[in-house]
């Protein structure tokens, strides 16, 4: 029988494929696409997913070794800076690996541990992990719609 940690990891990794499958087909030109009046580009959303995964690893699961400057969370808007596809892919691969490493260390009892953040209040670690799963899937859906229907926005205009 699989542990709760193994099951939750499988769930997260499967849900995250909504995001990772899109990364394979994206071009640099796609990164600046927006769907008016939405303020967020595909590049911003990719960076944001990575920022939030690292924040979860650090603040929810206690990965004290992680240093994160969550630029998308700090700015709270798309600054037009997220236009380097290889850098973004590397960043979200790093965020995935860091979150995965700390989640793999969770015991059965850890999933019932209470955590509190200003973003979503008081939750068990299991409930909080549900937030990261839905967060990534939510933004992956936005990316798909933007990529299909959005227009490339020149950040210099």
């Amino acid at each position: 029988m699989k542990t709760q940690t193994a099951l939750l990891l499988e769930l997260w990794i499967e849900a995250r494929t909504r995001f990772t499958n899109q990364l394979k087909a994206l071009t640099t030109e796609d990164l600046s696409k927006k769907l008016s009046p939405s303020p967020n580009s595909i590049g911003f959303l990719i960076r944001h997913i990575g920022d939030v995964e690292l924040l979860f690893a650090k603040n929810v699961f206690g990965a004290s070794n992680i240093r994160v400057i969550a630029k998308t969370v700090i700015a709270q808007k798309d600054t037009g800076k997220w236009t380097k596809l290889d850098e973004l892919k590397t960043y979200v691969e790093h965020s995935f690996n860091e979150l995965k490493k700390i989640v793999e260390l969770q015991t059965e009892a850890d999933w019932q541990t209470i955590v509190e953040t200003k973003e979503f209040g008081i939750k068990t670690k299991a409930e909080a992990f549900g937030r990261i799963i839905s967060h990534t899937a939510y933004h992956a859906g936005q990316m798909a719609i933007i990529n299909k229907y959005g227009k490339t926005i020149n950040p210099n205009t």
Side-chain angles (χ1 to χ4, degrees), residues 32-34 78-83 152-157:
S32 64
K33 284 183 180 177
K34 291 184 179 183
D78 193 337
T79 59
K81 294 180 180 180
W82 317 116
T83 58
T152 301
I153 308 297
N154 184 345
N156 300 321
T157 58

Side-chain angles (χ1 to χ4, degrees), residues 42-99:
I42 290 174
F44 174 88
L45 291 171
I46 294 168
R47 172 64 192 223
H48 180 66
I49 288 168
D51 284 349
V52 173
E53 285 180 341
L54 289 172
L55 287 171
F56 260 74
K58 182 177 182 171
N59 298 334
V60 173
F61 291 98
S64 58
N65 63 313
I66 290 183
R67 304 290 174 248
V68 57
I69 299 171
K71 294 180 180 184
T72 60
V73 177
I74 294 166
Q76 295 185 337
K77 64 180 178 150
D78 193 337
T79 59
K81 294 180 180 180
W82 317 116
T83 58
K84 295 180 180 169
L85 186 58
D86 288 339
E87 285 181 15
L88 289 169
K89 285 181 175 182
T90 299
Y91 188 71
V92 293
E93 183 178 339
H94 168 70
S95 67
F96 169 80
N97 288 330
E98 290 299 320
L99 183 52

